[in-house]
Amino acid sequence: MDRIDAMKVFVAALNEGSLAGAGRKLGKSPAAVSRAIAFLEAHVGAELLHRTTRAIKLSEAGERYALACRRILTDLEEADMAAAGERSAARGMLTVTAPVAAGETLLRPVLDAFMDKFPEVSVRLDMLDRPTNLVEEGIDVALRIAHLPDSTLIALRVGEVRRVVAASPRYLARHEPITQPSDLAGHQIIAMTHFGIDSWSFPPADGSAVPRTVQFNPRFTVNSIRAAVASAVHGRGVVRMFSYHLADAVAEGTLKIILAEHEHAPLPVHLVSPQGRLSVPKVRAFVDFALPGLREAFDERAASLRPCGFVL
């Protein structure tokens, strides 16, 4: 059996979450998929997958081997595309990752339009609120909202977002005014892990170099952005989010941004891709297609927040 083909089966099984899914994806019988995995396990001399009737799980050796397989298959694809040059059309599986909310509201519509234009490209969108290693996890493009460390990744700027504090007009009318970050200590807080579940930090006050931290006991802690926004809209408390999370509610008047003059500097948004991946036609086509649409989407979200005197 060809080891590269077996690696493709192994990676497909991981991507699909089952041996049966890998068979359907690659057009192989269950027996052929099982033989491919067994071939690799015999070759490396270790069990790669723990199998049950419903799922598969990587062994410790399998985790290390999966990273190597993804790198090898990516390098082979890049070599094939480089040899084919401009004659090669955009085709195959494009793997993209983004934070959950940005993926749902901003990136997915762009991907829909991209697939309409490039019918030979299929897309896998992994929405993850955690850092990802693009090379090791076999990801072509990521939407990143953060200051990027120096790396070999290619980064293309999309826009920037603010970290904003907001509450509903009804809540604000019924509670003490919030004019300084310290005022938040006496208010009901809707907290999320990504933005602090027992404290929020703010830039230093004028004349100081020490950031301000507000401690609180949240009234409601939740791991869903939609739930947190809905709770704030219904007057249950004060929430902190990225500006694009709240743009629709602010535009509709159901939430009002407060403490805008005490915000941290905006965070940049980039599309990032591993070195060399932009030479792959499907990746190059997606980046060229997605950048204008994403920039427009972030600009539109910014426009709904500009009455407060800031830009996204």
Side-chain angles (χ1 to χ4, degrees), residues 80-91 281:
D80 289 344
M81 295 302 178
E86 295 185 0
R87 295 173 299 160
S88 180
R91 62 170 61 89

Side-chain angles (χ1 to χ4, degrees), residues 105 229 243-255 301 304-305:
T105 61
V229 173
S243 46
Y244 70 87
H245 295 152
L246 304 176
D248 291 340
V250 171
E252 294 164 1
T254 55
L255 286 180
R301 297 265 163 165
S304 68
L305 302 175

Side-chain angles (χ1 to χ4, degrees), residues 150-174:
D150 292 336
S151 71
T152 59
L153 298 177
I154 303 301
L156 301 167
R157 191 174 179 90
V158 172
E160 57 187 28
V161 298
R162 294 157 49 201
R163 287 159 286 188
V164 299
V165 178
S168 71
R170 179 174 60 177
Y171 178 90
L172 294 172
R174 295 178 178 178

Side-chain angles (χ1 to χ4, degrees), residues 147-312:
H147 294 291
L148 299 178
D150 292 336
S151 71
T152 59
L153 298 177
I154 303 301
L156 301 167
R157 191 174 179 90
V158 172
E160 57 187 28
V161 298
R162 294 157 49 201
R163 287 159 286 188
V164 299
V165 178
S168 71
R170 179 174 60 177
Y171 178 90
L172 294 172
R174 295 178 178 178
H175 294 81
E176 292 296 317
I178 303 174
T179 60
Q180 296 291 328
S182 58
D183 295 334
L184 293 170
H187 281 265
Q188 297 179 28
I189 302 296
I190 301 166
M192 289 195 64
T193 303
H194 305 311
F195 295 90
I197 59 174
D198 56 11
S199 67
W200 290 341
S201 68
F202 293 86
D206 291 342
S208 173
V210 180
R212 290 169 289 176
T213 299
V214 179
Q215 303 283 340
F216 52 77
N217 292 314
R219 184 69 188 277
F220 182 42
T221 302
V222 62
N223 65 348
S224 163
I225 289 170
R226 289 184 180 181
V229 173
S231 184
V233 166
H234 283 86
R236 307 310 302 174
V238 182
V239 71
R240 190 178 211 179
M241 296 279 184
F242 284 139
S243 46
Y244 70 87
H245 295 152
L246 304 176
D248 291 340
V250 171
E252 294 164 1
T254 55
L255 286 180
K256 181 180 179 180
I257 292 177
I258 56 178
L259 300 177
E261 66 274 24
H262 300 284
E263 291 175 3
H264 287 287
L267 287 172
V269 183
H270 293 89
L271 282 181
V272 299
S273 185
Q275 187 80 33
R277 293 302 287 167
L278 289 181
S279 64
V280 178
K282 65 183 179 183
V283 180
R284 180 79 259 176
F286 171 69
V287 169
D288 289 344
F289 181 89
L291 275 175
L294 286 173
R295 285 169 176 162
E296 180 179 356
F298 276 93
D299 282 346
E300 288 176 354
R301 297 265 163 165
S304 68
L305 302 175
R306 282 175 183 149
C308 68
F310 287 73
V311 296
L312 187 70

